[in-house]
Amino acid sequence: QVQLVESGGGLVQAGGSLNLSCAGSGRTFNRYYMNSYVMGWFRQAPGKEREFVARIDSGGRMTSYADSVKGRFTISRDNAENTVTVHLQMNRLKPDDTAIYYCAANPLWRIRPDEFALWGQGTQVTVSP
């Protein structure tokens, strides 16, 4: 049973920081463990489409970011036996960063939300002016 569980969301003032975490465990239908997957963060603001934020490859060597968060957010991961923890360090937060943040997993290096089959339940991030 695959599980992705996010934590670390909350309310912060503009200019502040938050660190989101996502714990991934279990083995997928094709018998790969979560620590071998590409991990991504996405977000969805009220009335908007879900959008890509950041992603990291299975070894933690390759990352990419949406232009809107580049230079402010950092994605990282810790691989353990059969599990993975993915972090999203968010600095210099802006009110426009307010959204539900989702962790997702995919075996391939993809970027669109519809290309990710495994999702967490989401964690709310609210940035006040």
Side-chain angles (χ1 to χ4, degrees):
Q1 187 77 12
V2 172
Q3 270 196 313
L4 295 176
V5 180
E6 300 98 334
S7 61
L11 173 64
V12 65
Q13 285 189 325
S17 299
L18 282 175
N19 191 343
L20 305 184
S21 294
C22 170
S25 62
R27 192 162 65 175
T28 63
F29 69 94
N30 57 357
R31 298 182 294 170
Y32 288 101
Y33 286 99
M34 295 307 303
N35 57 9
S36 68
Y37 271 55
V38 174
M39 301 299 295
W41 284 98
F42 295 80
R43 67 187 182 186
Q44 189 165 16
K48 294 189 176 180
E49 302 267 325
R50 190 169 297 189
E51 64 176 7
F52 166 76
V53 174
R55 57 181 172 167
I56 187 167
D57 74 336
S58 60
R61 292 177 294 273
M62 191 160 59
T63 60
S64 70
Y65 299 89
D67 287 343
S68 59
V69 307
K70 207 171 288 184
R72 299 188 298 122
F73 290 11
T74 303
I75 189 171
S76 61
R77 69 187 289 161
D78 298 311
N79 287 336
E81 185 175 358
N82 304 333
T83 64
V84 61
T85 303
V86 185
H87 305 281
L88 186 68
Q89 177 65 42
M90 305 187 295
N91 298 326
R92 304 200 309 276
L93 282 161
K94 305 174 182 179
D96 284 349
D97 295 318
T98 295
I100 299 175
Y101 283 70
Y102 297 90
C103 173
N106 190 59
L108 302 175
W109 188 248
R110 296 289 184 264
I111 200 167
R112 294 202 323 258
D114 62 354
E115 293 174 314
F116 282 72
L118 304 171
W119 291 87
Q121 82 289 349
T123 185
Q124 176 71 47
V125 171
T126 303
V127 184
S128 62

